[in-house]
Amino acid sequence: MSFFKQMDNKSENEKSGSSNPATEKVKCLIIGSGPAGYTAAIYAARANLNPVLYEGLQPGGQLTTTTEVENFPGYPQGVTGPVMMEDLKAQALRFGADIRFGIATSVDFSGHPHKVVIDDEKTIESSVVIIATGATAKYLGLESEEKFKGSGVSACATCDGFFYRGKDVAVVGGGDTAAEEACYLAGLCKKVYLIIRRDEMRASKAMQERVKNTQNIEVLFEHAPKEITGDNMGVTGAILTNKKTGADVQITIDGFFVAIGHHPNSDIFQNYIETDPNGYIKTIPGSSKTNVKGVFACGDVQDPHYRQAITAAGSGCMAALDAERYLGEIG
Ligand code: NDP
């Protein structure tokens, strides 16, 4: 089947040349283009739901910012994040998904059909909406951090930790994510510095205990990263400020992991969709259903725990199946 099938998959509104081009009616709208969104598109397209997918601000999602992905089943030699996302997109296109540039800027989920405004201009009316907008890792905002992203600076230990086997690394953050990432890396690396800005950790007591009981984690309380150092091969160290004394401390490391939290991209849904206190969309356990009928959520926007490409893809599949079932019920 040709990739140009995408061209044929015009919505009813486009085909009929509606008098109101600012509004378009579709059956299934998917917002977001990471592994969750593309997988939802593959399943929805194969179920004849004629999905329209808007790619959002970062087509391909967070994975396009990583280098090698070695833990996604089906790629025995590994694959780069951007190539994997192109593969997923090509697969969705092959089944006729209508994939478009555009950002959802506001929504109205007060009635049926659901309304989603794209780029502040055009309104899509859809019987079902699948939210797959992902989450954005927070970074410190250092210039050197930006410079070494992908060559020593990472926001995902499970994705990139493997490349630092037997080496020394640092993790920044004092929450559960940082504690988990430090413990995970401690199993792979020679030494892990855990850099915490306060004199205590925010992480749960259980995670704090795990950190304390892990021999090769050195916790540096009241330290803040000032600069990441490196050469054209990548990161070689970091300069930290000891907040108590004001002195600079130099550490030698090959990897610098930022684990200071994620921001789920759920802001535009807040008026309608229930979230937890951190903004993650709540779904009914064992499903992708949100509190609004016909609106489903998948991927990192509803997952503070796993945040893996494969779990996102799995939940994208769930969302498409839930959407298909719902459409069958409403007729
Ligand atoms: P959190 O917001 O809980 O923690 C962020 C950490 O990063 C805090 O220690 C914070 O410091 C620190 N931080 C923030 N900004 C900076 C900065 N600019 N410089 C240095 N340090 C900074 O995020 P998490 O991702 O850890 O957790 C998010 C949620 O997910 C939590 O509710 C957590 O419990 C949950 N979670 C649960 C897991 C589990 O149950 N297995 C696993 C992972 C997460 P400070 O404390 O000073 O603000």
Side-chain angles (χ1 to χ4, degrees):
M1 196 185 300
S2 154
F3 288 172
F4 295 107
K5 177 85 166 54
Q6 184 186 17
M7 309 286 289
D8 303 326
N9 190 27
K10 292 216 160 59
S11 67
E12 290 311 311
N13 195 55
E14 283 180 313
K15 281 179 187 160
S16 65
S18 160
S19 57
N20 183 3
T23 302
E24 182 185 346
K25 283 188 166 53
V26 305
K27 203 189 307 187
C28 174
L29 177 67
I30 300 168
I31 313 172
S33 60
Y38 285 145
T39 304
I42 293 167
Y43 273 78
R46 283 171 56 81
N48 285 334
L49 305 189
N50 302 331
V52 170
L53 180 152
Y54 278 94
E55 290 186 311
L57 200 57
Q58 188 178 36
Q62 282 189 82
L63 268 186
T64 55
T65 66
T66 64
T67 47
E68 201 71 9
V69 179
E70 292 190 326
N71 53 8
F72 197 92
Y75 291 102
Q77 306 307 322
V79 61
T80 66
V83 167
M84 190 173 99
M85 297 322 297
E86 278 305 312
D87 283 351
L88 283 175
K89 180 176 177 176
Q91 198 171 348
L93 288 172
R94 181 179 155 216
F95 295 112
D98 182 349
I99 297 176
R100 305 175 181 176
F101 287 119
I103 298 165
T105 43
S106 63
V107 301
D108 179 353
F109 292 157
S110 60
H112 287 272
H114 298 303
K115 297 187 181 77
V116 176
V117 177
I118 305 295
D119 296 332
D120 288 321
E121 276 175 357
K122 172 173 183 164
T123 300
I124 304 284
E125 294 186 353
S126 187
S127 306
V128 294
V129 176
I130 295 176
I131 300 171
T133 44
T136 307
K138 293 180 192 162
Y139 283 91
L140 298 163
L142 301 173
E143 218 173 277
S144 48
E145 176 188 54
E146 196 58 42
K147 182 173 164 194
F148 292 114
K149 262 187 201 168
S151 62
V153 171
S154 164
C156 178
T158 346
C159 317
D160 299 327
F162 189 73
F163 303 112
Y164 301 94
R165 273 176 308 166
K167 298 184 173 171
D168 292 352
V169 298
V171 176
V172 186
D176 279 318
T177 302
E180 270 195 358
E181 302 225 324
C183 291
Y184 175 80
L185 289 165
L188 294 168
C189 303
K190 194 157 88 201
K191 176 164 188 168
V192 179
Y193 295 98
L194 182 56
I195 303 162
I196 296 171
R197 65 180 174 184
R198 287 190 291 138
D199 61 355
E200 60 177 358
M201 288 179 77
R202 180 190 290 267
S204 59
K205 284 279 174 277
M207 282 313 299
Q208 292 192 32
E209 278 304 305
R210 267 189 71 191
V211 166
K212 222 162 57 187
N213 294 330
T214 306
Q215 299 272 314
N216 58 340
I217 299 178
E218 181 179 341
V219 182
L220 299 173
F221 284 109
E222 292 185 87
H223 280 72
K226 185 174 170 187
E227 217 55 74
I228 301 160
T229 53
D231 54 28
N232 53 10
M233 297 296 286
V235 169
T236 55
I239 301 166
L240 317 174
T241 303
N242 180 327
K243 293 173 80 177
K244 237 175 357 193
T245 64
D248 283 352
V249 179
Q250 189 138 13
I251 55 172
T252 304
I253 47 166
D254 291 296
F256 186 91
F257 290 86
V258 185
I260 61 171
H262 283 75
H263 181 70
N265 300 320
S266 62
D267 294 359
I268 61 165
F269 310 112
Q270 292 284 344
N271 287 343
Y272 302 95
I273 301 290
E274 274 180 27
T275 65
D276 74 7
N278 296 316
Y280 287 94
I281 291 178
K282 285 188 184 173
T283 50
I284 295 172
S287 81
S288 64
K289 293 175 189 165
T290 68
N291 59 303
V292 176
K293 278 198 186 331
V295 179
F296 305 89
C298 53
D300 285 11
V301 73
Q302 52 85 59
D303 175 14
H305 298 296
Y306 302 104
R307 301 196 196 104
Q308 299 302 296
I310 187 65
T311 50
S315 69
C317 160
M318 287 167 65
L321 294 178
D322 287 341
E324 185 189 357
R325 221 161 278 154
Y326 170 79
L327 286 169
E329 280 164 17
I330 61 169

